[in-house]
Every structure is written in C-alpha cells, then in structure tokens.
Amino acid sequence: MGLLDFLDGTKRAAKASAAAATEALVADMTAALSRDATVSTDSLGVGITTYTAAITGARRELPHLVSRLNGAITGLGRTDDLEVRIAESAAPDAPFSSLLIIGQKRDADMLDFLVRTHDQLLAGFPGTSVLVDGSYGGFTVSGVARDDAVPAARRLITWWEDMLAAELEHWPFSEIEMTIGGTAEEPDISYSVDLDEPEDNAAPVPLEEKRQEARRAVAAWTRSLPDLEALAKTRVRSGYAVRFSFTPTKFKPQVIVEELKTGDEDEDETAEVVAAIRFHHPASTVKA
C-alpha cells in the first residue's frame, strides 16, 4: 500500500468515526426530548458539528430542557456546538430563546451561568427573543418595540454592567445587542457594543485594563442613547438593515447600512441614515 492509499484510508476511517459519533449523539438528544422536538446537525468538517435541538413550548422550561440534555452535552467534542432553541409557538415570528453551548465550555458551572443569564433576560424583556452565545458571552434581546427602545437599552446595559462586575474574568470579549423590527436573524435595526478581542497570539490583557474597557463601553452605550432614540424614529428602507455599533477600544459611535441580500454596505443609504439621526439629534457625533 502506498502512502497516498494509507492517508486516504486514514481519512475515510476518521470520517466514518466522526459520522458514527454524530449519529450516536443525535440519538441521545432525540431520546432525551419530547416527541415533537427536532434535532438537526450542520457539519463544517470532520469533528466540527453544530447540533440544534428545537422544541415548541414555554421558554421558562429551558433549564429543564438543558438538564435533560446533560448527557448529550457531556458528549460534545471540543469543537462541537449545541444550540438549544425553544419557540413559544410554531408561527414564524413567534418569540424564541436560543442558548448556544460549545464543547470547550460545558462544565456544570458554565451551564448554570448560561441558563441563569437567559432566565434573567427573559424576565427582564418579556415578549422579545433572547439569544445567549456561550462561545464568547454574547447576549441579544431581539424584537424590541421602537417606542421601548431607549428604556429597554437602559435596562440591558445595567444588566450587562452588573454581569461583567461579577463575570468579566470569564467573559473578556462579551457583547450585548438589542434589535428592533425585522427578525432575529435579519433585524431592521441593531444596537450593539462589545469588548475587544486581541489578535491571535497576543498577550492576555490584564483584568484591570478589561475593567476600564468595560466601563468605557457602558459609558459609550449610555451616551449614545439619544442616537438610538433618533434611529428608532427612522424608517429603514425595505431590504436593508441598520447596524449601530462602536469602534474598538475608543468606542466611537458608527453606523452602517447593509443590503440584506448581499451583506454589503450601501454608502448612500448609510449617509441618509446618519443624516436622519443628526436631524433628530443635532448633537450626535455618529459617523458612517
């Protein structure tokens, strides 16, 4: 047998082993869930699989669902993900909760934190969709009403500030996002801030520096709430989405308008939205 034949055989064996492991984990999840649940997979390569366990029901039951899936969660590989998803009804626009668990962070304390934060956001933002990403500490509240945008943003930043005060060491690249209109996947408007992630192989940032960065992020979010209020009064052109965020480190407000079909920025639409924000809020410093 030549070297190439040997390598091909090794690859086939690895694929077969990974496929068998995926099939077994799907079977475990299916057995742990109710009959109306669905389990699906999306593989990006050998040993890299995202599992989705989805049901329809009361979102307050998410802790019990995670508990039932504990055996399957333990079986996740380090490069695997599991999204636990509960929708309140089968309607396409029904509020839902999504909890992403990754193989590298699936110990009991981590799961308890993710479930607890989901429950806090669900209680604090009733009627919205709640997405918790356990890969880096991403927290999204989706489907906020335009007339509730600023009060909801105040509640969300207060929650994030309190969470980071206790958990920043574990989530140094955390992000919060609030969306208005559209869907969770394609909102009309998103308002977000995140803590900067250093380049690969860069030295870890001291915790005190991250605390200072977190304080700047909170201040920037709060300072730009008049921009958000102005943005909530702006109607977004069909087929486009407004992304309001902040530059890394210095947290200067910025706006981009994307075409949903391509994901590309539309500079003309961006300029119009910036002008609209400044019309409603003349003191705005937002830039494209």
Side-chain angles (χ1 to χ4, degrees):
M1 178 184 292
L3 178 59
L4 292 179
D5 290 335
F6 173 77
L7 293 176
D8 286 343
T10 301
K11 288 181 181 179
R12 285 195 297 271
K15 288 182 179 180
S17 177
T22 298
E23 187 176 330
L25 206 53
V26 167
D28 288 346
M29 293 181 190
T30 302
L33 301 174
S34 58
R35 291 182 179 179
D36 62 341
T38 61
V39 177
S40 58
T41 63
D42 182 17
S43 180
L44 299 178
V46 177
I48 306 174
T49 302
T50 294
Y51 300 83
T52 300
I55 68 168
T56 301
R59 291 188 287 159
R60 65 178 180 273
E61 295 298 317
L62 186 136
H64 302 296
L65 183 59
V66 171
S67 178
R68 292 203 300 270
L69 288 168
N70 187 63
I73 292 170
T74 302
L76 289 173
R78 288 184 59 80
T79 54
D80 290 336
D81 302 334
L82 167 62
E83 181 191 9
V84 181
R85 189 179 179 104
I86 304 180
E88 290 188 356
S89 75
D93 58 349
F96 69 91
S97 289
S98 170
L99 182 65
L100 185 68
I101 301 164
I102 67 170
Q104 294 181 21
K105 297 179 179 180
R106 53 178 169 77
D107 59 82
D109 288 343
M110 188 63 64
L111 292 179
D112 178 69
F113 169 80
L114 296 176
V115 168
R116 187 171 69 252
T117 55
H118 164 269
D119 289 352
Q120 290 169 354
L121 292 173
L122 183 62
F125 301 88
T128 67
S129 293
V130 173
L131 296 82
V132 176
D133 190 325
S135 64
Y136 66 100
F139 306 94
T140 300
V141 174
S142 178
V144 174
R146 286 176 181 267
D147 58 2
D148 191 39
V150 172
R154 290 190 187 280
R155 297 196 304 274
L156 184 56
I157 196 64
T158 298
W159 175 86
W160 194 54
E161 184 176 23
D162 291 343
M163 186 279 291
L164 290 178
E167 301 286 347
L168 179 59
E169 185 174 6
H170 303 296
W171 304 104
F173 317 125
S174 183
E175 176 184 23
I176 53 168
E177 180 180 27
M178 190 184 78
T179 76
I180 301 168
T183 66
E185 290 76 16
E186 294 184 343
D188 290 340
I189 297 170
S190 67
Y191 187 74
S192 66
V193 68
D194 65 281
L195 302 182
D196 192 31
E197 185 171 359
E199 299 290 335
D200 292 341
N201 301 319
V205 178
L207 184 57
E208 182 53 37
E209 287 188 27
K210 294 302 295 187
R211 288 196 180 104
Q212 293 174 10
E213 181 187 359
R215 285 193 286 269
R216 292 197 303 273
V218 170
W221 173 286
T222 305
R223 192 165 51 245
S224 286
L225 289 179
D227 291 327
L228 175 63
E229 183 177 19
L231 187 56
K233 298 175 182 177
T234 303
R235 293 298 164 183
V236 182
R237 183 178 168 189
S238 178
Y240 292 83
V242 180
R243 311 294 186 221
F244 191 112
S245 61
F246 299 86
T247 61
T249 308
K250 293 186 178 180
F251 297 103
K252 294 182 178 180
Q254 60 185 3
V255 165
I256 292 176
V257 178
E258 296 177 349
E259 184 178 4
L260 291 174
K261 197 173 191 179
T262 64
D264 296 333
E265 179 185 0
D266 188 306
E267 294 182 355
D268 292 337
E269 290 291 329
T270 297
E272 287 189 19
V273 169
V274 170
I277 292 174
R278 289 177 175 170
F279 174 80
H280 293 291
H281 179 218
S284 175
T285 60
V286 67
K287 294 182 180 180

